[in-house]
Amino acid sequence: NYTLSINIIEASKSIQLYPVPTNSEINIEVKDWRSYEWNIKNIFGQTLKTGVFEGKILKIELKDMIPGSYILEFKNKELIRTRRFVKI
């Protein structure tokens, strides 16, 4: 159990979003260098934006999105990671 808990904590620190909340853009910083597909979904699970991310820092423009809560999903062959953010 302890090893699993440590892995979950380390995985949660590997992707950082800022600023949260945001009004025009969100920056994503990834600690490991991997290729990810990303999706932004609304609270109903509808995909609103998609893209591919290869690198360490990504900026996503949100000016065309209405204020609300969203889920940013990262996935590759090995894992799926999600983060919640708020657009004001």
Side-chain angles (χ1 to χ4, degrees):
N1 289 344
Y2 294 109
T3 304
L4 178 61
S5 298
I6 291 170
N7 289 339
I8 291 170
I9 291 169
E10 288 175 0
S12 70
K13 292 181 180 179
S14 64
I15 297 176
Q16 296 181 346
L17 273 64
Y18 56 90
V20 176
T22 185
N23 61 5
S24 62
E25 65 187 25
I26 194 148
N27 299 292
I28 298 105
E29 187 173 337
V30 180
K31 301 239 183 250
D32 53 356
W33 188 284
R34 296 183 186 183
S35 177
Y36 293 96
E37 293 178 22
W38 60 267
N39 301 298
I40 295 179
K41 297 181 180 189
N42 63 17
I43 59 171
F44 303 110
Q46 299 167 317
T47 301
L48 305 175
K49 290 182 176 262
T50 62
V52 176
F53 175 44
E54 293 184 22
K56 289 197 163 237
I57 298 175
L58 172 68
K59 184 183 292 190
I60 301 173
E61 293 291 329
L62 304 174
K63 292 178 183 175
D64 58 335
M65 296 173 61
I66 62 171
S69 294
Y70 295 94
I71 297 169
L72 178 63
E73 177 184 80
F74 282 87
K75 58 185 173 180
N76 63 18
K77 295 177 185 176
E78 301 167 6
L79 53 91
I80 296 175
R81 296 178 183 164
T82 59
R83 298 290 180 272
R84 183 175 294 255
F85 69 93
V86 175
K87 180 177 188 288
I88 52 175

